[in-house]
Amino acid sequence: LQAQVERNSRIAGLLAQGELDLALLIGQAGANGGEAVAQVPALWLAREGQVPDAAAPAPLLLLEEPCLFREYALQALGRAGMAYRVVFTSPSVAGLWAAVHAGLGVTVRTPLGLPGGVAPLPAAALPALPPVRLSLHRRREPSAPAVDALFTIVADALQAAGATA
């Protein structure tokens, strides 16, 4: 078993090239032959105990484009007519978590795999966000029994973690 964590576009490309047998993609449920396996909430997150000043523009910590969570944040704030400023952009989630831990601002992610010291903001702090769909994609050719078994394990683990189908 080899696992790889990358941005959605990179993972989808590796899958299309036959480099991966199975891929978990965010926000692409049902696309390109994938099977929707879970839905999780998108949350506004900050350093534990930190709430942004409602009178100031929301300080955003975002991944580089393209990023579904970036789109969610900007669209939600735009629809609500709320001011914001992008104070930090990173190519990696590790960089994003470092900025959150430093207390630089708020970001949007799911509750899955949150590091310690990061917590959801109160619901009234910032506008509501749509849920995030997760999908599992298999390599196009017939898959091996081990890949099918892993598919079931991943789908079951997501549901056990509180994700809905």
Side-chain angles (χ1 to χ4, degrees):
L1 175 66
Q2 177 184 346
Q4 187 165 344
V5 178
E6 293 276 355
R7 306 284 299 270
N8 259 10
S9 58
R10 173 93 170 112
I11 290 292
L14 291 171
L15 186 68
Q17 295 168 13
E19 298 291 321
L20 301 174
D21 293 314
L22 187 67
L24 177 65
L25 296 177
I26 298 169
Q28 297 187 25
N32 303 322
E35 185 176 326
V37 292
Q39 182 170 286
V40 293
L43 303 172
W44 291 102
L45 303 166
R47 182 174 63 191
E48 199 165 17
Q50 181 180 9
V51 178
D53 179 358
L60 298 182
L61 314 173
L62 303 172
L63 288 178
E64 294 176 341
E65 293 183 60
C67 175
L68 177 71
F69 298 110
R70 180 186 185 99
E71 291 174 28
Y72 276 14
L74 299 177
Q75 289 172 1
L77 292 168
R79 279 192 306 272
M82 294 182 72
Y84 64 87
R85 59 189 172 91
V86 177
V87 298
F88 181 86
T89 302
S90 175
S92 72
V93 175
L96 193 66
W97 291 139
V100 171
H101 280 116
L104 299 180
V106 300
T107 194
V108 173
R109 303 296 295 171
T110 73
L112 300 175
L114 288 184
V118 176
L121 292 174
L126 291 167
L129 299 161
V132 176
R133 291 183 176 84
L134 304 176
S135 61
L136 279 172
H137 299 250
R138 292 183 178 114
R139 189 188 302 203
R140 294 222 183 267
E141 62 240 24
S143 58
V147 173
D148 294 336
L150 184 57
F151 183 101
T152 301
I153 290 167
V154 171
D156 290 348
L158 286 167
Q159 291 177 7
T164 59

